[in-house]
Amino acid sequence: MHTSKILGTGHFVPDQVYTNQYMTTLFETSDQWITERTGIKERRIADPEKSEFPSTMAAQAAKMAIKNAGIDKNEIEMILFSSTMSDYNFPNSATLLQDLLEIENKCACIDLNAACTGWLYSLVMANSLIETGVYKNVLVIGSETTSSYNNWKDRSKSVLFGDGCGAIVLSRSDNSESKIHKSILSSDSSKKDDLIKRTGMARSPFFVDFESPDIVEMNGQVVFKSAVKTMAAQCATILDQTNVTKEEVDLFIPHQANMRIIEAVANRFDFPKEKVFINVQKYANTSSASIPLALSEAVEAGRLKRGNKLLLTAFGSGLTSGTVLLTY
Ligand code: ACO
């Protein structure tokens, strides 16, 4: 069996900023309400006029990740692209990205949707393909334009989400201390209706009514409680299974959905706050982009160094969840 390491990281966010103050011009809300409930102060919103879509944002993030990895783009053997809303139904965004990056080796391209947990699912898939010797270098993307399905008349959900992208190059790492130690992936379909977007796909393909108050349907309190309980339990389990103590974990990057969820997970699992990476105040919930975006910022800020132990955990519609422990 081979092992894999995160060889390079990159990210991209649109320039356009929707502050909480701007949200008050769209509907009745306040900076105080949003800050107290979520910790979010602003979010980045893609501008279609500037051609900001999942694949084009990913091209920027991927160029940074490939440069930081120090490999040639044609050494990428697979693109795994996580998004809750690909550019088109087909071809997939991974293929569009191959074209934008001018990768000429005809590498495998696949999109994956496991909602906010999608990038962690993609990381685990990529790791399995590297461990079993199928590939040496996989580009793993989380890129989201949640604004493309956000209903800007719905104050209860639109304040929560934003757009952005994170990318990594995951590569074979034999003879290195860097490796993925353990992963947990899960999905609880009994709560599938608690966070669901029904329109725009096979069951209602041509009906997307942006005046509708319920494009995304969410039972916020069920999602909140399940998110805290599941992520905290998975973190405890993975440390137990690997005999790693929480003192040995150098950095914890939870899915950036909501400051209260992040704090509650850290408290429940009794994890020191200074080791928790948080950027939700700047970007809101960027769904499956949130962890790779935070990861890239953590590397850039010097908060994550080679040999550090990194704990990642995510949660989303499904209700999907996942946790990974790795040495960076
Ligand atoms: N501004 C002002 N008032 C608002 C707003 C807003 N933007 N949105 C809703 N309200 C109102 C509601 O209408 C309600 O009013 P009412 O009592 O008169 O009916 C009131 O605020 C309180 O609503 P609650 O549902 O009690 O608020 P709560 O404290 O549960 O917070 C929230 C809501 C922030 C959505 C919380 O439930 C939450 O964070 N849930 C998790 C959801 C989440 O993170 N989803 C993301 C996807 S899943 C994931 O990534 C983990």
Side-chain angles (χ1 to χ4, degrees):
M1 285 273 268
H2 301 283
T3 54
S4 74
K5 77 190 268 191
I6 297 171
L7 201 59
T9 51
H11 65 276
F12 174 84
V13 291
D15 286 336
Q16 185 169 224
V17 179
Y18 281 17
T19 61
N20 288 350
Q21 191 53 41
Y22 175 71
M23 301 310 264
T24 67
T25 67
L26 301 180
F27 36 65
E28 198 185 325
T29 189
S30 64
D31 175 47
Q32 188 186 358
W33 192 96
I34 301 170
T35 306
E36 281 176 8
R37 304 289 166 122
T38 71
I40 296 163
K41 298 303 274 184
E42 57 188 46
R43 66 271 316 130
R44 300 300 180 100
I45 300 298
D47 183 356
E49 300 280 314
K50 289 165 74 181
S51 194
E52 287 173 340
F53 301 108
S55 64
T56 55
M57 294 197 306
Q60 303 295 327
K63 279 177 192 164
M64 183 176 165
I66 292 167
K67 187 167 176 240
N68 286 336
I71 63 165
D72 184 88
K73 63 190 178 189
N74 283 303
E75 291 179 73
I76 303 283
E77 293 162 292
M78 181 183 225
I79 301 175
L80 249 166
F81 197 115
S82 166
S83 192
T84 50
M85 181 76 102
S86 298
D87 292 56
Y88 306 123
N89 272 136
F90 50 84
N92 60 29
S93 291
T95 303
L96 301 181
L97 178 59
Q98 186 202 63
D99 181 51
L100 289 167
L101 293 175
E102 299 178 347
I103 292 176
E104 289 156 359
N105 63 6
K106 299 191 170 42
C107 67
C109 289
I110 186 168
D111 283 13
L112 186 152
N113 180 356
C116 300
T117 320
W119 186 82
L120 271 193
Y121 268 69
S122 305
L123 176 66
V124 174
M125 304 292 142
N127 179 50
S128 303
L129 289 164
I130 291 172
E131 277 185 348
T132 49
V134 179
Y135 296 126
K136 284 187 190 150
N137 297 303
V138 182
L139 182 60
V140 191
I141 304 286
S143 189
E144 301 278 4
T145 52
T146 65
S147 59
S148 62
Y149 54 85
N150 220 337
N151 178 356
W152 297 108
K153 295 193 168 167
D154 174 7
R155 66 178 182 170
S156 70
K157 278 152 255 160
S158 58
V159 298
L160 303 177
F161 295 99
D163 301 338
C165 178
I168 65 161
V169 174
L170 192 76
S171 300
R172 190 187 281 186
S173 71
D174 299 354
N175 308 317
S176 156
E177 69 171 323
S178 303
K179 67 168 94 145
I180 292 181
H181 298 282
K182 187 97 190 157
S183 62
I184 299 172
L185 297 179
S186 180
S187 200
D188 177 5
S189 56
S190 71
K191 297 195 176 70
K192 66 184 185 312
D193 293 328
D194 288 313
L195 183 50
I196 186 164
K197 176 180 173 293
R198 298 172 205 265
T199 52
M201 297 298 272
R203 291 204 195 188
S204 68
F206 305 114
F207 176 67
V208 179
D209 176 4
F210 286 99
E211 299 300 311
S212 158
D214 277 323
I215 290 177
V216 175
E217 299 162 54
M218 183 177 74
N219 187 339
Q221 288 176 8
V222 169
V223 172
F224 190 104
K225 284 181 197 151
S226 301
V228 173
K229 208 170 137 196
T230 308
M231 287 192 284
Q234 285 188 1
C235 288
T237 301
I238 213 162
L239 293 185
D240 195 41
Q241 288 175 343
T242 51
N243 285 321
V244 171
T245 64
K246 56 178 183 279
E247 290 73 27
E248 290 172 307
V249 174
D250 298 289
L251 193 68
F252 177 42
I253 304 184
H255 170 45
Q256 306 286 308
N258 179 318
M259 191 74 85
R260 282 163 62 218
I261 293 180
I262 294 170
E263 285 174 353
V265 172
N267 286 342
R268 199 170 174 132
F269 150 64
D270 196 19
F271 196 77
K273 277 199 190 123
E274 58 279 9
K275 288 189 189 180
V276 186
F277 190 87
I278 300 174
N279 63 8
V280 69
Q281 70 283 4
K282 295 192 290 181
Y283 303 129
N285 181 348
T286 57
S287 191
S288 74
S290 98
I291 289 184
L293 171 55
L295 174 60
S296 178
E297 285 201 339
V299 172
E300 207 170 44
R303 296 232 2 225
L304 185 64
K305 299 195 169 59
R306 285 290 166 206
N308 281 176
K309 284 213 164 48
L310 174 65
L311 182 62
L312 308 170
T313 189
F315 193 87
S317 167
L319 297 175
T320 56
S321 56
T323 300
V324 172
L325 179 71
L326 62 89
T327 296
Y328 174 70

